[in-house]
Amino acid sequence: MSEYLKINVNDHVEKKGQLSYLSWAWAWAEVLKIDAGATWEAVEFNGLPCAFLPDSSALVKTIVTIKGQSKACWLPVMDNKNKAIKGPDAFAVNTAIVRCLTKAIAMHGLGLYIYAGEDIPERDVSDY
């Protein structure tokens, strides 16, 4: 089991409405404790920080590399109700990028349980 799945992130979760978000700054600090050489990038599309779709909504993509293993995620640029924004401004795109960064970190295991709607991290059978 990934060592990251066991890390309890509950003290760093932010609530906005009924949605829970892991603080991206805290998540990245935890990644750097695990791998000081970890990297992340926001992928550009034709020089833009997001890919625009025909309906004028947009997607962002981030890639996080920890200990040589890369995980990529896509995320729509959304409002605080998780609805795609048409014609997003720079602030909305930036917010989506850091949310997507946190999601890519979760793909490595850190805070993944939040996306599953759980309130505690996984444990090994040996932890009981």
Side-chain angles (χ1 to χ4, degrees):
M1 174 187 294
S2 168
E3 63 190 281
Y4 318 125
L5 288 170
K6 295 181 186 182
I7 298 172
N8 187 328
V9 303
N10 291 342
D11 289 343
H12 306 282
V13 172
E14 301 168 8
K15 289 288 247 186
K16 291 185 182 174
Q18 295 186 2
L19 303 173
S20 296
Y21 299 96
L22 180 60
S23 162
W24 72 267
W26 181 86
W28 187 246
E30 287 301 302
V31 166
L32 293 176
K33 289 178 190 175
I34 294 163
D35 177 7
T39 61
W40 77 277
E41 70 172 294
V43 176
E44 289 188 357
F45 304 89
N46 298 319
L48 297 174
C50 57
F52 285 95
L53 302 177
D55 69 353
S56 79
S57 64
L59 294 165
V60 297
K61 181 180 181 181
T62 60
I63 302 170
V64 172
T65 303
I66 303 171
K67 294 184 177 180
Q69 186 175 23
S70 296
K71 304 279 187 187
C73 277
W74 288 87
L75 190 74
V77 179
M78 300 177 285
D79 61 19
N80 61 359
K81 295 179 183 172
N82 274 8
K83 301 291 182 198
I85 296 171
K86 294 188 180 201
D89 62 17
F91 185 82
V93 171
N94 182 68
T95 299
I97 288 170
V98 294
R99 284 181 181 169
C100 194
L101 163 63
T102 307
K103 185 177 176 186
I105 291 169
M107 294 299 288
H108 286 274
L110 182 69
L112 185 60
Y113 66 90
I114 294 171
Y115 291 93
E118 302 293 329
D119 60 357
I120 57 171
E122 284 191 18
R123 301 174 115 183
D124 281 333
V125 173
S126 61
D127 291 339
Y128 293 102

